[in-house]
PDB file of all heavy atoms in Angstrom:
ATOM      1  N   SER X  36      -6.400 -20.131 -43.255  1.00 93.00           N
ATOM      2  CA  SER X  36      -7.157 -21.208 -43.899  1.00 93.00           C
ATOM      3  C   SER X  36      -8.509 -21.418 -43.224  1.00 93.00           C
ATOM      4  O   SER X  36      -8.991 -22.541 -43.133  1.00 93.00           O
ATOM      5  CB  SER X  36      -6.360 -22.519 -43.837  1.00 93.00           C
ATOM      6  OG  SER X  36      -5.106 -22.367 -44.424  1.00 93.00           O
ATOM      7  N   GLY X  37      -9.104 -20.321 -42.744  1.00 93.00           N
ATOM      8  CA  GLY X  37     -10.395 -20.433 -42.080  1.00 93.00           C
ATOM      9  C   GLY X  37     -11.465 -20.980 -43.021  1.00 93.00           C
ATOM     10  O   GLY X  37     -11.396 -20.791 -44.233  1.00 93.00           O
ATOM     11  N   ILE X  38     -12.433 -21.648 -42.468  1.00 95.00           N
ATOM     12  CA  ILE X  38     -13.535 -22.221 -43.241  1.00 95.00           C
ATOM     13  C   ILE X  38     -14.721 -21.266 -43.154  1.00 95.00           C
ATOM     14  O   ILE X  38     -15.274 -21.044 -42.078  1.00 95.00           O
ATOM     15  CB  ILE X  38     -13.927 -23.607 -42.696  1.00 95.00           C
ATOM     16  CG1 ILE X  38     -12.732 -24.549 -42.793  1.00 95.00           C
ATOM     17  CG2 ILE X  38     -15.129 -24.157 -43.443  1.00 95.00           C
ATOM     18  CD1 ILE X  38     -12.910 -25.851 -42.048  1.00 95.00           C
ATOM     19  N   VAL X  39     -15.085 -20.682 -44.282  1.00 95.00           N
ATOM     20  CA  VAL X  39     -16.209 -19.754 -44.319  1.00 95.00           C
ATOM     21  C   VAL X  39     -17.497 -20.565 -44.325  1.00 95.00           C
ATOM     22  O   VAL X  39     -17.732 -21.365 -45.223  1.00 95.00           O
ATOM     23  CB  VAL X  39     -16.139 -18.835 -45.561  1.00 95.00           C
ATOM     24  CG1 VAL X  39     -17.348 -17.910 -45.607  1.00 95.00           C
ATOM     25  CG2 VAL X  39     -14.848 -18.044 -45.557  1.00 95.00           C
ATOM     26  N   ILE X  40     -18.290 -20.374 -43.310  1.00 96.00           N
ATOM     27  CA  ILE X  40     -19.568 -21.089 -43.199  1.00 96.00           C
ATOM     28  C   ILE X  40     -20.710 -20.209 -43.697  1.00 96.00           C
ATOM     29  O   ILE X  40     -21.672 -20.695 -44.266  1.00 96.00           O
ATOM     30  CB  ILE X  40     -19.813 -21.529 -41.744  1.00 96.00           C
ATOM     31  CG1 ILE X  40     -18.723 -22.523 -41.337  1.00 96.00           C
ATOM     32  CG2 ILE X  40     -21.191 -22.138 -41.566  1.00 96.00           C
ATOM     33  CD1 ILE X  40     -18.752 -22.919 -39.896  1.00 96.00           C
ATOM     34  N   GLU X  41     -20.579 -18.912 -43.488  1.00 96.00           N
ATOM     35  CA  GLU X  41     -21.615 -17.982 -43.912  1.00 96.00           C
ATOM     36  C   GLU X  41     -20.965 -16.630 -44.187  1.00 96.00           C
ATOM     37  O   GLU X  41     -20.026 -16.230 -43.497  1.00 96.00           O
ATOM     38  CB  GLU X  41     -22.658 -17.832 -42.803  1.00 96.00           C
ATOM     39  CG  GLU X  41     -23.848 -17.005 -43.184  1.00 96.00           C
ATOM     40  CD  GLU X  41     -24.929 -17.009 -42.125  1.00 96.00           C
ATOM     41  OE1 GLU X  41     -25.089 -18.030 -41.425  1.00 96.00           O
ATOM     42  OE2 GLU X  41     -25.602 -15.980 -42.008  1.00 96.00           O
ATOM     43  N   GLY X  42     -21.466 -15.923 -45.188  1.00 94.00           N
ATOM     44  CA  GLY X  42     -20.935 -14.603 -45.508  1.00 94.00           C
ATOM     45  C   GLY X  42     -19.702 -14.679 -46.372  1.00 94.00           C
ATOM     46  O   GLY X  42     -19.381 -15.712 -46.956  1.00 94.00           O
ATOM     47  N   GLU X  43     -18.989 -13.571 -46.436  1.00 93.00           N
ATOM     48  CA  GLU X  43     -17.804 -13.465 -47.278  1.00 93.00           C
ATOM     49  C   GLU X  43     -16.563 -13.436 -46.395  1.00 93.00           C
ATOM     50  O   GLU X  43     -16.387 -12.525 -45.579  1.00 93.00           O
ATOM     51  CB  GLU X  43     -17.884 -12.179 -48.101  1.00 93.00           C
ATOM     52  CG  GLU X  43     -16.810 -12.054 -49.136  1.00 93.00           C
ATOM     53  CD  GLU X  43     -16.999 -10.818 -49.999  1.00 93.00           C
ATOM     54  OE1 GLU X  43     -18.129 -10.342 -50.147  1.00 93.00           O
ATOM     55  OE2 GLU X  43     -15.976 -10.326 -50.501  1.00 93.00           O
ATOM     56  N   GLY X  44     -15.715 -14.426 -46.524  1.00 94.00           N
ATOM     57  CA  GLY X  44     -14.533 -14.536 -45.686  1.00 94.00           C
ATOM     58  C   GLY X  44     -13.369 -13.710 -46.190  1.00 94.00           C
ATOM     59  O   GLY X  44     -13.371 -13.215 -47.309  1.00 94.00           O
ATOM     60  N   ARG X  45     -12.387 -13.583 -45.338  1.00 96.00           N
ATOM     61  CA  ARG X  45     -11.126 -12.928 -45.663  1.00 96.00           C
ATOM     62  C   ARG X  45     -10.004 -13.953 -45.538  1.00 96.00           C
ATOM     63  O   ARG X  45     -10.169 -14.999 -44.912  1.00 96.00           O
ATOM     64  CB  ARG X  45     -10.840 -11.768 -44.700  1.00 96.00           C
ATOM     65  CG  ARG X  45     -11.919 -10.723 -44.586  1.00 96.00           C
ATOM     66  CD  ARG X  45     -12.033  -9.894 -45.864  1.00 96.00           C
ATOM     67  NE  ARG X  45     -12.839  -8.708 -45.691  1.00 96.00           N
ATOM     68  CZ  ARG X  45     -14.164  -8.668 -45.813  1.00 96.00           C
ATOM     69  NH1 ARG X  45     -14.835  -9.766 -46.089  1.00 96.00           N
ATOM     70  NH2 ARG X  45     -14.819  -7.536 -45.668  1.00 96.00           N
ATOM     71  N   MET X  46      -8.862 -13.646 -46.085  1.00 96.00           N
ATOM     72  CA  MET X  46      -7.732 -14.568 -46.074  1.00 96.00           C
ATOM     73  C   MET X  46      -7.193 -14.792 -44.659  1.00 96.00           C
ATOM     74  O   MET X  46      -6.912 -15.910 -44.263  1.00 96.00           O
ATOM     75  CB  MET X  46      -6.618 -14.014 -46.965  1.00 96.00           C
ATOM     76  CG  MET X  46      -5.410 -14.912 -47.077  1.00 96.00           C
ATOM     77  SD  MET X  46      -4.099 -14.165 -48.085  1.00 96.00           S
ATOM     78  CE  MET X  46      -4.914 -14.018 -49.658  1.00 96.00           C
ATOM     79  N   MET X  47      -7.006 -13.699 -43.904  1.00 97.00           N
ATOM     80  CA  MET X  47      -6.447 -13.792 -42.552  1.00 97.00           C
ATOM     81  C   MET X  47      -7.528 -13.451 -41.539  1.00 97.00           C
ATOM     82  O   MET X  47      -8.258 -12.482 -41.703  1.00 97.00           O
ATOM     83  CB  MET X  47      -5.280 -12.817 -42.387  1.00 97.00           C
ATOM     84  CG  MET X  47      -4.806 -12.622 -40.939  1.00 97.00           C
ATOM     85  SD  MET X  47      -4.229 -14.125 -40.133  1.00 97.00           S
ATOM     86  CE  MET X  47      -2.573 -14.237 -40.763  1.00 97.00           C
ATOM     87  N   ASN X  48      -7.620 -14.262 -40.508  1.00 97.00           N
ATOM     88  CA  ASN X  48      -8.552 -14.033 -39.408  1.00 97.00           C
ATOM     89  C   ASN X  48      -7.806 -14.283 -38.114  1.00 97.00           C
ATOM     90  O   ASN X  48      -7.125 -15.293 -37.976  1.00 97.00           O
ATOM     91  CB  ASN X  48      -9.744 -14.983 -39.512  1.00 97.00           C
ATOM     92  CG  ASN X  48     -10.483 -14.796 -40.815  1.00 97.00           C
ATOM     93  OD1 ASN X  48     -11.284 -13.895 -40.956  1.00 97.00           O
ATOM     94  ND2 ASN X  48     -10.193 -15.642 -41.792  1.00 97.00           N
ATOM     95  N   ALA X  49      -7.918 -13.357 -37.176  1.00 97.00           N
ATOM     96  CA  ALA X  49      -7.209 -13.508 -35.907  1.00 97.00           C
ATOM     97  C   ALA X  49      -8.073 -13.002 -34.760  1.00 97.00           C
ATOM     98  O   ALA X  49      -8.874 -12.082 -34.923  1.00 97.00           O
ATOM     99  CB  ALA X  49      -5.887 -12.752 -35.934  1.00 97.00           C
TER     100      ALA X  49
END
Side-chain angles (χ1 to χ4, degrees):
S36 303
I38 300 169
V39 178
I40 297 174
E41 186 173 328
E43 188 175 334
R45 305 290 193 274
M46 182 183 298
M47 168 60 81
N48 301 279

